[in-house]
Amino acid sequence: MTPLLELRNVSKRFGGLTAVDAVSFSIEAGELVGLIGPNGAGKTTLFNIIAGVYRPSQGQLLHRGDAISMLDPARIAKRGIARTFQNIRLFQSLTVLEHLLVAQTCRGLGLLAELNPLVSGAERTRRKAAMELLELVGLENRHDEIAIHLPYGAQRRLEIARALATSPELLLLDEPAAGLNDTETVGLREMLDALRAQHYTILLVEHDMKLVMRVCSRILVLEFGKLIASGAPAEIQVNPEVINAYLGAEA
Amino acid sequence: MFSQQLVNGITLGSTYALIAIGYTLVLGVLKKLNLAHGELFMVGTFAGIGMAAAGAPIVVSVGAAFLFAGLVAVAIERTCFYPLRNASFLSPMLTTIAFGILLQNVATQIFGSDPSRFPDTGRSVELHIAGLTISALQVAILVTAFGLMIAIDVLIRHTRWGIALRATSDDPETAAQHGINPSRVTITTFFVSGALAGVAGVLTTLVYSQVTPLIGIRQGLIGMVAMVIGGLGNLRGAMIGGLAVGLLETLNDAYFNAGYRDLVIFSVFFAFLVLRPEGLFPAPGGRS
C-alpha cells in the first residue's frame, strides 16, 4: 500500500548549515508517530518542509504517492496535511469560532458560502461541525472570545481544533504539551487517543517523553538533522545510539 | 442653515468614506498603500460617464464603474504588487505612482483634459423634509454609499471571506498553512477596493458635475486623510473619517471660505499625523 506520507532523502540547507540531512521515512495511514530529538535537531524544520513553508534543498516528498515538494502551503493544506505551531500562532483579531470557520474553507465550500442560498444547508452543517470541534477541545463556551485572550493551555487546544477544521488526514503537532500542566497534559493525551480512534494520522513532535512513549506506535529520532533511529517505543528506549544522543543526555 | 450643511456634508463624506475603505482594506492585507487608488476613482467616473454618454441609465453607469474600477484595481495588484512582493516595500508603492500617471494620461487621450460631465439628467426632484432640501439624487447617493458601507462591514465581519481577509491581515503565513490562498484574498480585496472607489467617482460627479482626468490626485489624497483621521487600519474608522472630512469640507465652505478648503483639510491631516497618528479610532489590537 502507498504510504500516506513518504520522505525520500530530504535535506534542507540554510547557507552552510544543514538543518535536515538526507532524512527518509514513511508514515502509514492511521499511525501515530513520534518525532523526537534534542533541541535544534531539525524537527521544526522538517515540519516546515512537509507543510510547504520550506522547499527541500534536495530529496522528494510524496503524499499518497504524489510528489508535493513544490506545492505552496495552501495547496499542502488542501491536500489534507495540517499542523500546529511550537510557538502558538493564533490570529490576533479573530474570535475562537472564527479560527475554525476560516480553516474550514480549506476544503469544500468556498469563501462566500454564507451568501449562497443553494448551499445554506451545507453551510449550517459546517458551522455545527465547527462548534462540535470546539466541544472536543472544551472551548464551546468561549467561542465568542478573542482567541489571543485565552489562557495558554486553551490556546494550544484551539490550535489543534483549527488544524482539525481543515479536515486533515495527517496532523503535524509541534510540541502540543509544551507549557501545559499535568492535568492539561492528561487531557491532551486523552485527546490524542480520541483522534487516533477516529483514524487520524499524526506526526507528533514532543519533548514530554512519558507522553510520547505512551501514545506513539512508532518513534523517529533526529539528531543534528539526521535520522538516527526508528522503531517502537520499547526499542527506542533501549537503543544505545538514542540513549547516547538524547535520553542519555538527560539521565 | 446648519442642518442643511450637515446633510450635504454627510453626502459628500459618504463618498470619501468609500475611497478610504479601499485604502484600509489594501493596507490590511499587504501593509502597503496603493498610490494609484485615487485613479480608480477617476477610472470609475469615466467608465460611468462613458456608459451614460452611450445612453445607459445611471444604474448602469454605477455598475460599470464598480466593475471597471474593480478590474483596474486587480490589474494594479497583478502588475505593481504581486511581481514585487519580495522587493522593498517602496518598490510597489512607487510603481503604483507610475501606474496612476499612466491611467491619467490614457484617460486624457480618450476624454481630453477639459472637464467632462454626465449628460444632463434632467431636473432632479427635490424633497422637503423638516425644513431641509434634499434632492432625489442626494438620497440615491446616501442610500448607495451607506448601503455599500454596511455591505462591506457585514462581509468583513460575518462571511468567511471577511474572516479570511482578517486572518491574512493578521498573519499571511499561518493563514496560508490553513488553506487560504493569499493571492486570492489579495485579488478580491483589490477588486472590492477599486469597485468602491469607482462607485464613489460616479456618485461624486453626479452631484459636483464635472471631472478631469486629474481628479484622482485630490480624491486619492482626501481618501488618505479620511483613513488617517479615522484610524489607520480600522475599517469603521475609515468610514467615520470619510464622513468627518466631508463635514469639515462642507462646513468650511459654508461658514468660512471655500478658497481655504484644502488648506483647512490638509492642516487637519498634518496635525493628526504629528499629534495623533493613530487617528480617532485606533485599530483594535494595535493592528496597522
Side-chain angles (χ1 to χ4, degrees):
Chain A
M1 205 178 103
T2 321
L4 185 60
L5 180 75
E6 186 179 358
L7 274 72
R8 286 187 194 156
N9 206 24
V10 167
S11 297
K12 180 67 188 175
R13 286 181 287 274
F14 297 103
L17 175 83
T18 303
V20 172
D21 194 354
V23 167
S24 299
F25 64 82
S26 58
I27 298 176
E28 303 294 335
E31 277 193 293
L32 201 172
V33 179
L35 176 62
I36 64 172
N39 282 321
K43 305 183 294 293
T44 296
T45 305
L46 202 57
F47 265 27
N48 279 326
I49 292 171
I50 300 171
V53 177
Y54 297 148
R55 295 258 151 90
S57 311
Q58 168 196 316
Q60 275 281 324
L61 275 94
L62 303 167
H63 175 238
R64 294 195 177 281
D66 301 331
I68 57 166
S69 345
M70 297 309 281
L71 296 185
D72 60 46
R75 287 222 174 78
I76 298 279
K78 282 181 195 299
R79 284 193 71 108
I81 299 176
R83 70 168 309 173
T84 65
F85 298 88
Q86 185 184 342
N87 308 310
I88 297 172
R89 289 178 69 169
L90 295 173
F91 301 115
Q92 59 169 345
S93 64
L94 266 53
T95 66
V96 169
L97 179 61
E98 284 174 340
H99 275 79
L100 304 203
L101 295 180
V102 73
Q104 281 179 328
T105 63
C106 186
R107 303 222 249 178
L109 303 174
L111 290 176
L112 287 172
E114 290 91 339
L115 303 181
N116 184 350
L118 296 177
V119 296
S120 61
E123 168 62 25
R124 265 197 306 279
T125 312
R126 201 157 66 144
R127 287 208 173 229
K128 212 170 129 249
M131 282 307 288
E132 282 166 5
L133 276 178
L134 286 182
E135 278 167 37
L136 176 76
V137 299
L139 289 172
E140 71 275 18
N141 293 324
R142 315 188 76 160
H143 69 274
D144 243 357
E145 290 180 39
I146 294 292
I148 54 168
H149 296 158
L150 291 176
Y152 187 82
Q155 293 195 15
R156 284 235 173 264
R157 296 204 299 279
L158 177 57
E159 276 221 333
I160 295 174
R162 176 177 63 178
L164 291 174
T166 64
S167 312
E169 49 187 9
L170 174 62
L171 261 178
L172 311 171
L173 302 178
D174 201 347
E175 296 195 29
L180 299 190
N181 63 32
D182 289 348
T183 323
E184 289 172 324
T185 306
V186 171
L188 174 68
R189 200 184 69 216
E190 286 166 359
M191 192 193 297
L192 290 173
D193 287 336
L195 292 174
R196 200 176 172 190
Q198 290 172 43
H199 309 295
Y200 282 103
T201 310
I202 299 171
L203 181 59
L204 171 71
V205 164
E206 189 46 66
H207 281 300
D208 184 334
M209 281 309 130
K210 230 167 67 193
L211 179 70
V212 173
M213 295 300 166
R214 182 141 180 187
V215 298
C216 296
S217 52
R218 191 154 64 90
I219 293 171
L220 307 167
V221 188
L222 266 187
E223 190 197 16
F224 299 120
K226 285 195 170 74
L227 196 64
I228 59 166
S230 164
E235 294 164 28
I236 294 297
Q237 276 169 314
V238 296
N239 182 313
E241 214 176 337
V242 175
I243 293 168
N244 185 36
Y246 187 69
L247 300 175
E250 283 181 7
Chain B
M1 205 180 101
F2 185 70
S3 47
Q4 180 72 53
Q5 297 308 331
L6 284 186
V7 173
N8 295 345
I10 287 170
T11 310
L12 178 65
S14 66
T15 67
Y16 291 162
L18 293 180
I19 306 172
I21 289 168
Y23 275 120
T24 303
L25 290 175
V26 168
L27 190 66
V29 290
L30 289 186
K31 314 294 170 222
K32 289 166 195 154
L33 284 173
N34 171 14
L35 294 176
H37 190 59
E39 272 58 50
L40 295 169
F41 176 99
M42 182 273 291
V43 158
T45 309
F46 280 101
I49 290 178
M51 292 309 279
I58 290 301
V59 180
V60 174
S61 284
V62 171
F66 184 91
L67 197 65
F68 192 65
L71 291 176
V72 172
V74 172
I76 290 174
E77 195 280 324
R78 285 288 100 181
T79 56
C80 303
F81 287 96
Y82 185 73
L84 296 171
R85 63 194 178 284
N86 297 322
S88 147
F89 80 101
L90 275 176
S91 308
M93 282 167 50
L94 296 175
T95 312
T96 57
I97 295 181
F99 199 102
I101 294 171
L102 216 82
L103 289 174
Q104 288 164 17
N105 282 279
V106 170
T108 306
Q109 292 306 321
I110 299 173
F111 293 92
S113 52
D114 291 337
S116 301
R117 66 182 71 227
F118 276 91
D120 195 358
T121 45
R123 188 171 300 152
S124 181
V125 183
E126 291 194 331
L127 311 171
H128 299 276
I129 306 162
L132 300 174
T133 305
I134 306 173
S135 68
L137 195 57
Q138 223 171 353
V139 173
I141 288 168
L142 284 168
V143 168
T144 309
F146 277 90
L148 286 171
M149 279 191 258
I150 292 166
I152 198 79
D153 197 71
V154 169
L155 278 175
I156 297 277
R157 263 159 226 282
H158 299 297
T159 68
R160 285 172 212 257
W161 174 75
I163 305 172
L165 186 147
R166 284 184 279 134
T168 305
S169 298
D170 286 344
D171 183 346
E173 286 165 22
T174 301
Q177 289 180 61
H178 290 84
I180 297 153
N181 181 339
S183 239
R184 187 179 297 178
V185 170
T186 310
I187 288 173
T188 49
T189 302
F190 267 81
F191 181 86
V192 170
S193 136
L196 294 180
V199 171
V202 170
L203 298 182
T204 313
T205 310
L206 282 171
V207 184
Y208 301 92
S209 73
Q210 52 186 31
V211 285
T212 75
L214 299 182
I215 183 73
I217 299 171
R218 176 175 187 270
Q219 299 303 110
L221 287 170
I222 291 282
M224 222 180 276
V225 175
M227 171 179 68
V228 167
I229 290 179
L232 225 50
N234 181 348
L235 200 69
R236 287 184 177 170
M239 299 179 190
I240 295 168
L243 297 176
V245 176
L247 282 169
L248 180 65
E249 179 170 333
T250 310
L251 295 177
N252 170 77
D253 289 8
Y255 297 107
F256 186 47
N257 185 337
Y260 284 81
R261 182 191 291 166
D262 282 352
L263 183 66
V264 169
I265 291 175
F266 287 93
S267 298
V268 172
F269 183 39
F270 183 74
F272 261 96
L273 285 172
V274 175
L275 301 173
R276 196 179 163 83
E278 72 276 22
L280 293 174
F281 306 98
R287 191 150 56 99
S288 63

